[in-house]
Amino acid sequence: MSSSATKLERATAEQAIREIVEQLLGELGNPGALEEFARKESGAHLERDLGLGSLERVELMLRLDKYFSVHLPETVVAEADTVSDLAQAVLQQTGRAQSDSHYDAVSAAPNVVRQAGCQGIAEELREKLARAETLTEIIGIRGRADADAAHIYLCEEDGGARTITCGELFTRATAVAAELTRRGIAPGQTVAIMLPTSAEFFWTFAGTLLAGAIPVPIYPPFRADRIEEYAARQAAILRNAEARLLVTFRRAESVAKLLEPQVKSLRAVVTAERLASSGGPVAPPESETRPVEIASHRARADEIALLQYTSGSTGNPKGVVLTHVNLLANIRSMREAVHIHEDDVAVSWLPLYHDMGLIGAWFVPLATRIPVAILSPLAFLSRPERWLWAIHNHRGTLSPAPNFAYELCVRKIAETDIKGLDLSSWRAALNGAEPVRAETIDRFVEKFSPYGFRREALLPVYGLAEASLGVAAPAVGSGARVDQINRTRFENEGRAISVADDTASVIEFVSAGKPLPQMEVRIVNAAGQDAGERVEGRLFFRGPSATSGYYRNPEATRELVREDGWLDSGDLAYLADDEVYITGRAKDIIIKGGHNLYPQEIEEIAGRVKGVRTGCVVAFGVPDKTSGTERLAVAAEARDLREQERIAQDITREVSEALGLPPDIVVIIPAHSIPKTSSGKLRRSETRKLYLEGKLTKAPAPAWLQIGKLLAHGAFPRAVSAAKKVGRRGTEILYGVYALALFGIATFLVWAFLIPTRSRNFSAGVVHRASRILLRLAAIRVQIEGSKVLSEWTHSAPWIFAPNHSSYLDILTLLAILPARARYVAKGEIASMPLVNLIARRSGHFAFERASAQARIAQAEEVNEALRQGDSVVIYPEGTFTEIPGIRPFQLGAFKAAVDTGRPICPIALRGARELLRDKTYLPKPGRVTITFGPLIYPRAGESDWHEIVRLRDETREVIAQGAGESLL
């Protein structure tokens, strides 16, 4: 046979073996090994990279023997390092390396793709993405299987674009995750991300997810004259989120550090550049953290994937809790509603700290395999035509934006700036995040239809962060549906009665379409009942993408989540032909003389007055003590304050003509006076509050004074914190030296005491009593939970005790608590420690050599024999430990011993030892260790040995994880 045919045969054998290895790894439930295998494939080291120990190798060999109809020699079990080695061994055993018959046999292998064309690979990738349960899984799938695909085109000011592939995102995110772990950020802890639109934002966010932490995007500072207000708002959010780390960029680092003294949970402020470098020197918080390797965190579908903070008061931050289930349910509903396919291209300038920009413009493309071109918000606001040119250049088909963006394009873009523009590719211009104005739609279509834009492409949508973004959307290609209704009947009765176009008293609302798939919507009246067709009420929604509530804010959660899973959006709306028409925010409605006035309409009218800054008008109600109703107030920013009298008169006239009643108060104020949210929405409640306090027209203090106040405010807490830290650290060092000396003395005394004896029981009893005394002298308290389980030991021994392993302190604690006669399986490395080695040998403990697979198989029989002789055995299934919280993948030795001997597993969960003596630290701390004994788990007779071993492992691991309060890694 030719050399090329031999190579083909070998490659096919390797492919079959890869499938078998992948199936085995899947059964073992080790996602980190699967990721490493996907990356290195045939070059992955079976033990070092994939965690396949001697027992797993034996199972693998049995499967290879059966599949290839060969009998691999035992040396292969011990000596094969990679899939390539296994393929070589298989070919040698068949004796048919020069024939095609084996190649034909391999072709019958299940799951082996012989003709892996692009279409087959793409279909397999789509299936994997469809089955994915978490965003973390999607990032990994695309990063490995779709590595070369262009994911993000980051548009730059010069018109060029930087391409970020899925592979680069995954690689850099992995580096960020490693650095977060090195800095002591544990799964479930929060990381605040204060970054502008940039490449660093994407891999910082993705890296936070890969590390198992919870990303909290917050908006970066933009205006120096509002720095004090900004610091107060962000500090409140960081305190509520209990952020452990704040990631920012170099220009904002000094501002970010102003927040540090105001947030007790915050360990450090770091730039995204340093975080992504993964490996620079780090000052560990409280001298606890040391460089560690990243553990692969396997996120669960119900874990929190994101805290999305909504616009709210500084004293009551509302962090919307969004799980992976929530996000993926909404993403898939939006994909179905908008008919997203892989030929689409998204374009966005939306801020990434806002749900519409983060979820709609990034997560959706990520999960649906479409590229996205992204501009910064400032690039759009300074030159709106950049958004349209990005659609032109990238042939964008999907692009979302709030109503004001479409209005800005109409008002600000000159014809000379868009000569040659082609918008014909734009099939879904999503308009949401704020009230959609019919006038804006008409003006946008009129101006840009000559450039290929189609009216039916403009799709008003409705959503909110509490729903993971989308709630309702019209059918693709249907365009915007405008409802003209009788103003008087609506304002007085709340009924949306349709009227003819030529009726004088008309108010218009735009349809947001029908509820998304899996989303339910109902309109509720004041009595809590369904309002009925064309009757205004509060919009309630529910579905799999709905949040469970606000993070650490039970009061706000109670107001949001109602009976039977319904959530109160806080918005007013009505239903007509099953379509949703949003009429306004319930809290913003102005009630004047029995009429419901809608601030958005008033603001639109006043905003058309010459000299008023676009989008800088707020209408609100203020109490009128004499009449018992509300007075209508309008605050508007003027371009030139010298015209404030004329502007006020024009606003009064325009509002009076449109609504039939004039505003009671018109306040003309300087530019940048009206407070807005991070996403540019008007903060009506805050504007009203400032007006009532007489602060609306008051100019803010100079930036230098605001910064000075913040520094002064944080100086004392910083000094106190530093003093406490120094004192605490000094005390810890003194105690650590004492405890270490205590351990050294005790070890020496026990060693000396045991030299002359040869009695295993006597030696084990001495070690047991010495361990109890040592813990007491070291002020380490031990709390036992589930002690009734241990009380059964004398009646049903021997057992296999299977504890988690988080610290060297685990061993000392168990020596003091478990029966003295229990024999421990220790690492062979104790042979290099003479004192410890003698104590272990005298007490009858096992010291196993890990380097030799054959030796480990022989030593496993020693454990089985000890169990048959009535000795209980303590085996640490994790094998080793790190400072990373979480239960590591289990080795199978303990569970094979249980199946071989029929003896039960006793799961033991230790909690607290890691905090008292972390890996790679030498000085312990005083404190408490909790030991929880789980129920005995017996092997089932008559079951397949392999599947029974895996079952015992999985059940034991779940019990230990629950008792230890740590996630499965």
Side-chain angles (χ1 to χ4, degrees):
M1 182 183 293
S2 68
S3 174
S4 60
T6 303
K7 290 180 180 178
L8 181 61
E9 183 178 347
R10 180 186 178 90
T12 309
E14 287 190 10
Q15 177 64 37
I17 295 172
R18 281 199 296 269
E19 294 287 345
I20 294 171
V21 171
E22 187 172 14
Q23 182 180 4
L24 178 63
L25 292 174
E27 292 178 16
L28 291 171
N30 188 344
L34 279 168
E35 289 181 6
E36 194 70 10
F37 186 54
R39 190 166 66 87
K40 294 185 177 179
E41 294 188 336
S42 298
H45 193 282
L46 296 178
E47 187 157 1
R48 185 174 58 248
D49 295 328
L50 307 184
L52 296 180
S54 56
L55 295 177
E56 293 90 340
R57 283 174 177 239
V58 168
E59 176 64 22
L60 177 59
M61 296 306 155
L62 291 174
R63 296 187 183 195
L64 294 178
D65 285 358
K66 182 178 180 181
Y67 176 74
F68 289 103
S69 299
V70 298
H71 180 69
L72 296 173
E74 292 183 0
T75 54
V76 175
V77 177
E79 297 174 3
D81 288 332
T82 66
V83 168
S84 293
D85 294 341
L86 294 176
Q88 181 64 33
V90 166
L91 291 174
Q92 289 175 351
Q93 287 301 308
T94 61
R96 288 175 289 180
Q98 301 300 318
S99 72
D100 293 333
S101 58
H102 175 64
Y103 179 76
D104 294 337
V106 172
S107 69
N111 301 322
V112 176
V113 182
R114 299 195 58 196
Q115 294 180 353
C118 294
Q119 186 61 37
I121 294 173
E123 184 59 36
E124 182 181 356
L125 183 54
R126 279 192 288 270
E127 290 177 2
K128 285 185 177 180
L129 291 173
R131 292 194 303 268
E133 297 181 348
T134 66
L135 270 180
T136 310
E137 192 176 349
I138 286 174
I139 293 168
I141 290 171
R142 295 213 63 194
R144 294 187 301 269
D146 214 10
D148 295 332
H151 173 38
I152 297 167
Y153 300 112
L154 201 58
C155 301
E156 298 170 346
E157 289 191 13
D158 60 3
R162 174 186 175 181
T163 301
I164 301 174
T165 63
C166 295
E168 182 184 7
L169 175 69
F170 184 62
T171 300
R172 291 183 180 271
T174 301
V176 169
E179 182 68 358
L180 288 174
T181 305
R182 191 174 81 89
R183 290 174 177 267
I185 301 300
Q189 293 181 338
T190 51
V191 174
I193 302 174
M194 191 179 79
L195 293 171
T197 297
S198 59
E200 288 76 15
F201 179 94
F202 296 105
W203 45 71
T204 299
F205 192 102
T208 303
L209 284 177
L210 292 181
I214 303 171
V216 184
I218 61 175
Y219 70 97
F222 291 118
R223 291 176 53 187
D225 62 337
R226 294 283 185 180
I227 196 67
E228 191 172 5
E229 175 191 345
Y230 171 85
R233 182 172 296 277
Q234 300 313 308
I237 289 175
L238 296 175
R239 285 193 296 268
N240 178 257
E242 293 184 323
R244 307 301 293 271
L245 191 70
L246 174 57
V247 185
T248 186
F249 56 110
R250 189 173 293 111
R251 284 183 292 127
E253 189 173 12
S254 58
V255 174
K257 288 185 179 295
L258 295 175
L259 304 174
E260 198 169 358
Q262 304 180 46
V263 185
K264 290 183 179 180
S265 63
L266 201 57
R267 287 183 176 181
V269 174
V270 61
T271 64
E273 293 84 355
R274 285 203 300 271
L275 197 64
S277 65
S278 185
V282 175
E286 302 183 8
S287 299
E288 292 181 5
T289 305
R290 294 294 185 273
V292 297
E293 293 181 0
I294 182 173
S296 175
H297 175 76
R298 185 179 186 181
R300 298 192 310 271
D302 60 352
E303 283 184 1
I304 300 175
L306 165 67
L307 291 183
Q308 180 68 59
Y309 276 83
T310 65
S311 306
S313 65
T314 56
N316 190 33
K318 295 179 180 178
V320 181
V321 174
L322 297 177
T323 64
H324 292 277
V325 167
N326 297 149
L327 290 168
L328 291 185
N330 204 257
I331 288 168
R332 286 161 180 163
S333 291
M334 288 189 286
R335 178 183 60 194
E336 182 178 345
V338 186
H339 301 161
I340 298 175
H341 47 78
E342 292 180 10
D343 291 333
D344 278 317
V345 177
V347 177
S348 174
W349 55 265
L350 297 170
L352 294 169
Y353 47 78
H354 186 263
D355 54 335
M356 195 174 184
L358 182 66
I359 302 170
W362 181 31
F363 293 173
V364 170
L366 178 67
T368 57
R369 292 193 72 213
I370 68 173
V372 55
I374 290 183
L375 305 81
S376 77
L378 293 178
F380 164 73
L381 293 172
S382 60
R383 292 182 58 190
E385 66 271 14
R386 286 175 174 165
W387 176 33
L388 305 185
W389 277 113
I391 294 171
H392 168 100
N393 293 330
H394 294 279
R395 306 314 298 152
T397 60
L398 311 174
S399 190
N403 190 80
F404 90 84
Y406 294 94
E407 186 67 39
L408 197 63
C409 287
V410 172
R411 298 191 179 198
K412 296 293 185 181
I413 297 178
E415 299 293 336
T416 54
D417 294 329
I418 52 175
K419 187 177 180 180
L421 180 70
D422 179 11
L423 299 178
S424 61
S425 64
W426 197 0
R427 69 177 185 84
L430 306 167
N431 185 339
E434 64 182 15
V436 179
R437 309 298 301 174
E439 298 93 333
T440 300
I441 293 172
D442 292 338
R443 287 196 287 267
F444 189 86
V445 171
E446 181 182 0
K447 179 163 184 172
F448 294 102
S449 57
Y451 299 92
F453 184 79
R454 300 179 302 279
R455 185 183 183 90
E456 60 269 23
L458 220 161
L459 302 177
V461 294
Y462 169 70
L464 63 166
E466 287 81 353
S468 301
L469 186 57
V471 172
V476 175
S478 63
R481 180 175 176 179
V482 180
D483 197 15
Q484 295 183 318
I485 62 177
N486 184 290
R487 176 188 299 278
T488 304
R489 295 286 301 276
F490 188 71
E491 292 179 351
N492 293 342
E493 304 171 20
R495 294 185 175 277
I497 308 300
S498 295
V499 296
D501 293 349
D502 57 355
T503 304
S505 181
V506 167
I507 186 171
E508 294 182 327
F509 293 109
V510 179
S511 169
K514 295 182 179 181
L516 295 179
Q518 301 187 68
M519 183 65 71
E520 296 178 78
V521 169
R522 61 188 289 233
I523 306 301
V524 178
N525 61 23
Q529 301 170 334
D530 287 343
E533 183 83 354
R534 288 191 168 274
V535 178
E536 186 186 44
R538 297 177 78 99
L539 186 148
F540 281 31
F541 67 93
R542 69 179 178 186
S545 66
T547 180
S548 60
Y550 298 114
Y551 193 68
R552 298 181 62 241
N553 194 334
E555 181 181 347
T557 298
R558 283 191 295 270
E559 294 177 2
L560 171 71
V561 183
R562 305 303 176 91
E563 296 180 0
D564 300 325
W566 289 101
L567 278 70
D568 183 354
S569 69
D571 288 316
L572 296 175
Y574 65 88
L575 289 175
D577 299 328
D578 295 328
E579 295 196 7
V580 178
Y581 290 83
I582 305 298
T583 60
R585 293 289 294 172
K587 65 179 182 179
D588 292 335
I589 295 298
I590 305 162
I591 303 175
K592 178 177 172 62
H595 293 268
N596 287 354
L597 304 179
Y598 296 83
Q600 297 91 345
E601 184 183 22
I602 298 168
E603 290 157 3
E604 174 75 15
I605 295 166
R608 293 198 290 261
V609 169
K610 184 180 178 181
V612 173
R613 298 186 73 237
T614 304
C616 298
V617 181
V618 171
F620 54 92
V622 295
D624 187 343
K625 297 180 181 179
T626 58
S627 64
T629 184
E630 285 189 309
R631 303 173 73 198
L632 171 58
V634 177
E637 292 182 4
R639 299 183 185 280
D640 187 348
L641 285 178
R642 291 173 297 183
E643 294 189 278
Q644 58 182 326
E645 186 174 345
R646 191 268 305 166
I647 292 173
Q649 291 173 354
D650 289 351
I651 289 176
T652 301
R653 184 183 65 256
E654 293 293 331
V655 172
S656 179
E657 290 178 358
L659 304 184
L661 53 86
D664 299 290
I665 304 164
V666 177
V667 183
I668 307 302
I669 52 181
H672 309 299
S673 297
I674 290 177
K676 294 184 178 182
T677 69
S678 59
S679 56
K681 294 180 183 178
L682 299 168
R683 289 167 55 197
R684 297 188 181 90
S685 298
E686 184 68 14
T687 304
R688 179 179 182 272
K689 178 174 174 287
L690 291 174
Y691 172 78
L692 293 174
E693 293 175 351
K695 298 178 180 179
L696 186 59
T697 58
K698 184 178 179 181
W704 64 267
L705 183 57
Q706 295 184 45
I707 294 172
K709 288 171 65 177
L710 289 171
L711 288 171
H713 179 70
F716 181 72
R718 276 198 300 270
V720 172
S721 176
K724 286 182 178 178
K725 187 176 290 187
V726 169
R728 183 168 61 247
R729 186 56 187 155
T731 303
E732 288 175 357
I733 290 174
L734 289 174
Y735 167 83
V737 171
Y738 159 74
L740 199 60
L742 198 65
F743 175 79
I745 294 170
T747 302
F748 178 79
L749 291 176
V750 170
W751 172 79
F753 199 71
L754 296 185
I755 285 178
T757 185
R758 291 294 184 270
S759 170
R760 179 169 69 83
N761 289 342
F762 175 78
S763 299
V766 170
V767 173
H768 176 70
R769 286 187 290 273
S771 299
R772 297 175 74 92
I773 294 170
L774 183 56
L775 288 175
R776 194 175 300 116
L777 291 175
I780 295 175
R781 305 181 304 280
V782 179
Q783 177 178 326
I784 300 176
E785 298 178 356
S787 55
K788 289 184 179 180
V789 176
L790 188 60
S791 66
E792 300 174 9
W793 176 78
T794 54
H795 307 294
S796 59
W799 295 353
I800 300 171
F801 293 102
N804 61 306
H805 205 8
S806 61
S807 167
Y808 283 116
L809 198 57
D810 296 336
I811 302 169
L812 180 64
T813 306
L814 291 180
L815 285 169
I817 300 302
L818 291 182
R821 291 177 53 194
R823 302 176 70 179
Y824 291 72
V825 175
K827 300 176 183 178
E829 287 90 329
I830 66 171
S832 62
M833 298 178 283
L835 300 185
V836 176
N837 187 38
L838 182 138
I839 294 171
R841 285 191 290 106
R842 290 286 193 271
S843 302
H845 303 317
F846 303 101
F848 282 179
E849 177 58 51
R850 295 185 297 170
S852 169
Q854 288 180 312
R856 287 169 67 175
I857 293 174
Q859 291 159 346
E861 185 53 38
E862 293 182 43
V863 172
N864 290 351
E865 185 60 28
L867 289 166
R868 296 187 186 105
Q869 296 297 323
D871 293 334
S872 293
V873 179
V874 182
I875 304 177
Y876 290 93
E878 289 177 286
T880 187
F881 59 87
T882 70
E883 65 175 322
I884 305 169
I887 306 301
R888 295 168 58 84
F890 279 6
Q891 298 176 4
L892 301 181
F895 312 104
K896 185 177 188 300
V899 170
D900 288 346
T901 62
R903 303 315 305 160
I905 297 286
C906 178
I908 302 176
L910 291 103
R911 186 168 67 248
R914 194 191 312 273
E915 288 71 24
L916 302 189
L917 182 61
R918 287 187 179 274
D919 184 32
K920 297 182 177 66
T921 62
Y922 305 99
L923 299 180
K925 298 179 180 180
R928 182 176 67 185
V929 176
T930 301
I931 300 178
T932 302
F933 290 92
L936 296 181
I937 304 175
Y938 283 87
R940 298 168 181 165
E943 298 287 340
S944 161
D945 284 358
W946 171 254
H947 290 98
E948 189 59 10
I949 289 170
V950 173
R951 181 190 70 83
L952 288 174
R953 181 208 61 180
D954 290 346
E955 289 190 19
T956 302
R957 197 161 178 247
E958 288 288 346
V959 170
I960 290 176
Q962 184 175 1
E966 295 188 352
S967 60
L968 299 175
L969 297 178

